[in-house]
Amino acid sequence: MSFQQGLSGLNAASKSLDVIGNNVANASTIGFKRSQAQFADVFANTLSGSGGTQVGIGSKLSAVAQLFSQGNLTVTNNPLDLAVNGKGFFRLSNSGAISYSRNGQFQIDKSGYIVNGNGLRLTGYAANASGVLNTAAPTDLLIPSSDLTPKATAKVNAVLNVDSRAATKSAAAFNLNDPTTYNNSTSVAIYDSLGNSHTLSMYFVKTNANTWDVFASNDGVQIGAGAIGRLTFRSDGAIDTTATTLPFSVSAPVTTGATTPLAFNLDFTGTTQFGSAFGVNSLAQDGYTSGRLSGFSVGADGVIQGRYTNGQSATLGQVILANFNNPQGLQPLGDNGWAETSTSGAPLVGAPGSGSLGALQSAAVEDSNVDLTAELVNMITAQRVYQANAQSIKTQDAVLQTLVNLR
């Protein structure tokens, strides 16, 4: 009797409609991956049956396979909205229980951890105070709320031009409060170990045709009893490195409670003596005061870069991705999550953009990969299949009724 075949066909069409309906329902779910119902025919097993004369007894649902094709990316205004452009899953932790997701809608919880809407923490590589990533083991990513520790100035680089036409002066007569005792001066802000700002002033006295003595002061107080160094130039205007020892070692006393004296190197490499007016080409130092986190960004490689109120930036961590040899072997958990199984294989964890892993795009999310038009067409097809199987049951019923009515 073909009742069984028709019934299995009704069940198959119903399952197909279930899968299609689930796809349609999640057409706007961020990071959702559409599913496809896969069917197989059914035969009765007999010891003596001939394969050429066997009639199938219907169909069955073989698998519901998820299709991990790329979804469209939509730009948002949240820097913690992350989209994977390519292969890979976000690695999430729930008190050590690991799951995976393509939904990159994240936020910061009250403790500073990066979490999704269900409170699962995004994992990655943590950075130490120096911004060096610890790639040994993934951990829950934490955005620190503490101030950026100040850094004392260790080096000052000054590139300038002194005027070869300037008149010579006596170095012994130097007085930082008397501009007539030196030819030129310039200044730069430097920082002590507590982040306090100080003004380093440099004074240049031409003592001979190609010789300049350099004096310095910190916050208006002269450093040392005499010049901190001497610049000697060649006839082509470049520094004579055989007669000039660079950089100059400077020790500036401070009275702010910070480490004293403030010791740093003063480097004039690149300074010239040409027949043109005194000019400062560049003046830089490597210290800074403390700063508070004012914002951050996530790069395509997953590195989280923090911006601070003191103008500095620091690496706060790195988002990692995980990929699988068989993504269809992952177990769906709901809430846009999957779990590793023996069928999926072990996760291949790494930085975005490395190996087979895709790149990250910040301030964007990945839309569902459901093609609504295709799903609606599939729905019509499944409906027709359901009607056809119902018709086969109706026809078999009519045949059976005829048989019963035989006299």
Side-chain angles (χ1 to χ4, degrees):
M1 296 296 179
S2 60
F3 285 116
Q4 186 172 346
Q5 289 93 330
L7 181 60
S8 67
L10 291 177
N11 289 331
S14 178
K15 291 294 184 181
S16 179
L17 285 171
D18 288 343
V19 173
I20 295 170
N22 184 62
N23 290 340
V24 173
N26 287 282
S28 60
T29 300
I30 298 300
F32 178 80
K33 298 303 177 184
R34 71 187 184 92
S35 300
Q36 181 185 64
Q38 298 178 351
F39 300 95
D41 57 349
V42 179
F43 277 82
N45 292 323
T46 61
L47 294 177
S48 59
S50 173
T53 60
Q54 277 190 284
V55 177
I57 57 175
S59 65
K60 67 175 182 178
L61 181 65
S62 175
V64 177
Q66 290 199 286
L67 306 180
F68 290 93
S69 59
Q70 180 71 44
N72 295 326
L73 302 186
T74 299
V75 177
T76 69
N77 294 322
N78 179 15
L80 276 180
D81 281 344
L82 304 176
V84 181
N85 192 358
K87 296 181 179 180
F89 299 82
F90 296 108
R91 185 178 182 272
L92 306 175
S93 173
N94 183 14
S95 301
I98 304 301
S99 61
Y100 305 90
S101 178
R102 291 281 293 197
N103 185 347
Q105 293 176 304
F106 296 108
Q107 56 193 345
I108 298 178
D109 67 7
K110 64 181 180 180
S111 300
Y113 289 98
I114 301 177
V115 299
N116 66 4
N118 299 313
L120 304 184
R121 293 177 179 178
L122 180 65
T123 65
Y125 298 137
N128 61 17
S130 301
V132 178
L133 294 170
N134 179 13
T135 58
T139 186
D140 298 347
L141 288 176
L142 175 68
I143 302 298
S145 58
S146 57
D147 290 352
L148 183 66
T149 304
K151 178 185 177 183
T153 298
K155 188 172 184 179
V156 177
N157 293 319
V159 180
L160 41 87
N161 178 72
V162 291
D163 194 347
S164 64
R165 302 167 300 180
T168 59
K169 297 180 182 292
S170 171
F174 172 77
N175 181 354
L176 60 87
N177 296 315
D178 184 1
T180 63
T181 62
Y182 52 87
N183 298 87
N184 307 102
S185 66
T186 187
S187 62
V188 64
I190 58 176
Y191 298 90
D192 61 27
S193 61
L194 295 179
N196 297 302
S197 177
H198 303 273
T199 301
L200 172 68
S201 299
M202 293 163 282
Y203 308 88
F204 304 91
V205 179
K206 185 177 182 181
T207 56
N208 278 303
N210 293 317
T211 303
W212 294 72
D213 281 7
V214 181
F215 296 82
S217 70
N218 182 40
D219 294 334
V221 179
Q222 184 173 342
I223 301 174
I228 61 172
R230 173 172 292 175
L231 297 174
T232 303
F233 296 91
R234 302 196 306 256
S235 58
D236 61 357
I239 290 180
D240 187 347
T241 56
T242 60
T244 304
T245 302
L246 292 176
F248 300 154
S249 296
V250 183
S251 295
V254 294
T255 58
T256 58
T259 301
T260 186
L262 172 58
F264 57 91
N265 291 327
L266 181 55
D267 195 350
F268 287 97
T269 300
T271 294
T272 57
Q273 179 191 247
F274 294 142
S276 56
F278 174 84
V280 178
N281 296 323
S282 69
L283 194 56
Q285 56 85 41
D286 60 355
Y288 49 81
T289 187
S290 61
R292 298 203 170 197
L293 187 66
S294 61
F296 54 87
S297 60
V298 182
D301 57 355
V303 173
I304 305 173
Q305 199 75 13
R307 301 185 303 274
Y308 291 84
T309 54
N310 60 357
Q312 299 298 310
S313 61
T315 299
L316 306 180
Q318 184 179 29
V319 180
I320 60 172
L321 297 178
N323 196 21
F324 297 87
N325 290 329
N326 179 24
Q328 290 189 2
L330 293 171
Q331 178 185 353
L333 301 176
D335 293 326
N336 294 322
W338 291 272
E340 171 191 350
T341 68
S342 58
T343 307
S344 67
L348 308 174
V349 178
S354 65
S356 62
L357 299 174
L360 286 188
Q361 182 170 334
S362 179
V365 292
E366 181 187 9
D367 296 337
S368 168
N369 66 350
V370 173
D371 184 344
L372 202 53
T373 302
E375 295 300 329
L376 293 176
V377 172
N378 292 337
M379 188 183 299
I380 295 173
T381 303
Q383 180 186 9
R384 295 306 183 195
V385 170
Y386 192 95
Q387 290 174 335
N389 281 279
Q391 186 63 37
S392 72
I393 294 176
K394 181 180 178 181
T395 302
Q396 182 62 35
D397 178 61
V399 171
L400 185 60
Q401 182 68 34
T402 302
L403 181 61
V404 170
N405 291 334
L406 287 177
R407 295 180 183 273

